[in-house]
Amino acid sequence: MEKKEYQVGDQVFVIYRNPHTANVANIKSAEIVQHPDNPNEQVLFLHNTLHVIEDDDAIFHSYEEAEQTYNAYFSGDHYEG
C-alpha cells in the first residue's frame, strides 16, 4: 500500500480485520491524531485505542475508496475452498 499523507484531525476509513477471525473484516471510521508521547508522529484513533500507523495499513481518505478495496479483497471468491 502506498504511503499516504495525513493531517491531525483527518477522518479516515480503515479496513479492520477481526483479530480472532482472519476472514472477517469491516470498514471502520477512524481519526488521525497526534501521538501522545511523540509530537512528530501521528497515530490512528480507532475503537477508542491509539494505533501506530504502519506502511501496510489499509487506510483511505474516503469510504468509497475503502469500499472498492474491500470488495476487491474480501469477495467470497477469495475464501472458497
Side-chain angles (χ1 to χ4, degrees), residues 47-77:
H47 295 296
N48 293 321
T49 304
L50 297 175
H51 298 272
V52 173
I53 298 171
E54 302 289 341
D55 288 340
D56 62 348
D57 286 342
I59 303 172
F60 304 91
H61 287 286
S62 72
Y63 183 88
E64 292 77 17
E65 191 181 8
E67 187 176 42
Q68 283 181 334
T69 301
Y70 178 91
N71 289 335
Y73 284 98
F74 294 99
S75 69
D77 298 342

Side-chain angles (χ1 to χ4, degrees), residues 8-74:
V8 170
D10 283 355
Q11 179 181 13
V12 294
F13 298 89
V14 179
I15 296 177
Y16 180 79
R17 292 186 94 158
N18 183 323
H20 306 291
T21 309
N23 64 345
V24 174
N26 296 294
I27 299 172
K28 298 291 183 183
S29 177
E31 184 178 351
I32 302 296
V33 299
Q34 188 83 34
H35 191 294
D37 298 325
N38 183 350
N40 297 319
E41 188 175 355
Q42 299 169 348
V43 292
L44 191 64
F45 187 64
L46 175 69
H47 295 296
N48 293 321
T49 304
L50 297 175
H51 298 272
V52 173
I53 298 171
E54 302 289 341
D55 288 340
D56 62 348
D57 286 342
I59 303 172
F60 304 91
H61 287 286
S62 72
Y63 183 88
E64 292 77 17
E65 191 181 8
E67 187 176 42
Q68 283 181 334
T69 301
Y70 178 91
N71 289 335
Y73 284 98
F74 294 99

